[in-house]
Amino acid sequence: MPFIQFDHKPLFFTLRRSERAKRLHIIARASVFEVVAPWHIKNRAILQFISQQRRWMSKQLQRQTKKALEPKTVWPSQWLAGERISYRGTTLLLLVEYGREYGICQQEEKLMVTLPWQTKCTEMENVVQKGIERWYQSQAMQVIEASLERFCPILGRWPKAVQLKQQKSRWGSCGITERIYLNWLLILAPPGTLEYVVAHELAHLLYRNHGPRFWHKVSQLMPDFAQYDQWLNRFGCYLKPS
Ligand SMILES: [Zn+2]
């Protein structure tokens, strides 16, 4: 899909020639723009027009992202039963019970943590928090593995290794040794966000910059990636525990 860059980010568009259109205009759709042009207008004039509209297009994309994906990700004030915890852009009701051994299980909108009988009251919150963090990491790894299976055959390249990290300022990185690191906090973000960061870092196996060829590769892996990139720019800060 053709795109034009603004502020180092690609803005994707499709071009439609129309007999009825009286003038050049752009319609903003979810993460893609439709450029409608009368028959007689030359391609060069169309590109010039799009170029002039880049700032407006970027603003539209930001507004749509905000509408589509309001953040609901929050960290609970306490790790106790009755709190809501974030997961994949929504929240789960945290339930805690005692049983024979430790366990954690998601049932629709509930997350049930089972603590061994001998867990002391004073340790309970800490055990629940550590358990949920481990659960987040294993869920993140499942999403990452599914994403690698989806993207690597298209890319024709596989990373040497993939590891989870909780980085303070980055969502992922791709080293020169072809190892990919991903921030497991992304499991709190709406579906598609972690998948996008996987696609982004995989594309760095081929291109070590954020040039047009890099973004073209990302769009091949995940055509609707722009909305997730926007979401992270705007709301990524919500994912980090304060
Ligand atoms: Zn990058």
Side-chain angles (χ1 to χ4, degrees):
M1 191 181 298
F3 65 87
I4 190 160
Q5 277 190 253
F6 180 74
D7 207 9
H8 304 291
K9 300 285 184 192
L11 298 161
F12 289 89
F13 63 89
T14 57
L15 175 63
R16 180 162 61 89
R17 294 277 184 177
S18 161
E19 271 176 46
R20 285 187 301 162
K22 295 223 163 50
R23 55 179 183 88
L24 255 173
H25 61 280
I26 300 175
I27 303 167
R29 306 213 184 278
S31 80
V32 175
F33 294 88
E34 187 183 28
V35 180
V36 186
W39 280 107
H40 64 272
I41 293 188
K42 294 211 167 66
N43 277 344
R44 209 169 56 170
I46 295 172
L47 275 176
Q48 205 176 8
F49 175 72
I50 298 170
S51 184
Q52 285 162 356
Q53 300 300 319
R54 283 184 301 174
R55 186 175 294 277
W56 174 83
M57 289 164 80
S58 177
K59 277 229 177 80
Q60 288 295 312
L61 192 58
Q62 279 177 20
R63 272 179 48 191
Q64 290 195 350
T65 307
K66 195 172 174 218
K67 250 195 287 177
L69 301 160
E70 283 286 348
K72 293 196 184 100
T73 45
V74 282
W75 288 86
S77 51
Q78 300 170 303
W79 296 88
L80 296 173
E83 290 282 341
R84 296 200 76 92
I85 64 153
S86 303
Y87 177 65
R88 298 284 266 167
T90 179
T91 60
L92 306 175
L93 178 66
L94 176 58
L95 298 172
V96 180
E97 63 170 13
Y98 282 95
R100 279 177 55 186
E101 54 185 27
Y102 179 84
I104 193 160
C105 164
Q106 185 201 347
Q107 290 162 335
E108 290 163 18
E109 285 183 25
K110 296 182 190 124
L111 190 72
M112 172 67 83
V113 179
T114 308
L115 299 175
W117 291 112
Q118 59 270 29
T119 312
K120 289 183 194 142
C121 275
T122 50
E123 287 169 1
M124 191 171 129
E125 208 181 327
N126 195 24
V127 175
V128 169
Q129 179 182 357
K130 290 280 169 324
I132 291 174
E133 285 179 4
R134 277 199 307 276
W135 180 76
Y136 276 150
Q137 289 164 17
S138 79
Q139 298 301 111
M141 212 57 214
Q142 281 181 32
V143 172
I144 291 164
E145 276 164 14
S147 304
L148 293 172
E149 275 171 36
R150 177 175 148 200
F151 299 137
C152 289
I154 306 172
L155 193 73
R157 288 280 282 275
W158 278 258
K160 290 248 160 59
V162 175
Q163 255 176 284
L164 292 179
K165 252 192 179 179
Q166 188 186 330
Q167 296 127 310
K168 279 218 170 67
S169 57
R170 310 178 78 165
W171 298 118
S173 58
C174 177
I176 41 167
T177 53
E178 303 196 348
R179 278 164 200 277
I180 287 177
Y181 297 95
L182 295 155
N183 197 325
W184 61 264
L185 294 176
L186 290 163
I187 198 68
L188 306 180
T193 317
L194 174 54
E195 289 88 333
Y196 156 63
V197 177
V198 175
H200 182 118
E201 299 309 332
L202 283 174
H204 277 316
L205 290 174
L206 297 187
Y207 305 106
R208 302 227 144 258
N209 51 40
H210 292 126
R213 287 198 302 177
F214 167 82
W215 288 115
H216 181 68
K217 190 50 78 181
V218 176
S219 76
Q220 270 181 353
L221 300 179
M222 200 176 182
D224 61 345
F225 81 91
Q227 57 180 312
Y228 305 111
D229 187 61
Q230 290 280 340
W231 192 93
L232 273 177
N233 288 341
R234 286 187 71 97
F235 305 124
C237 54
Y238 288 88
L239 303 182
K240 292 173 186 172
S242 46

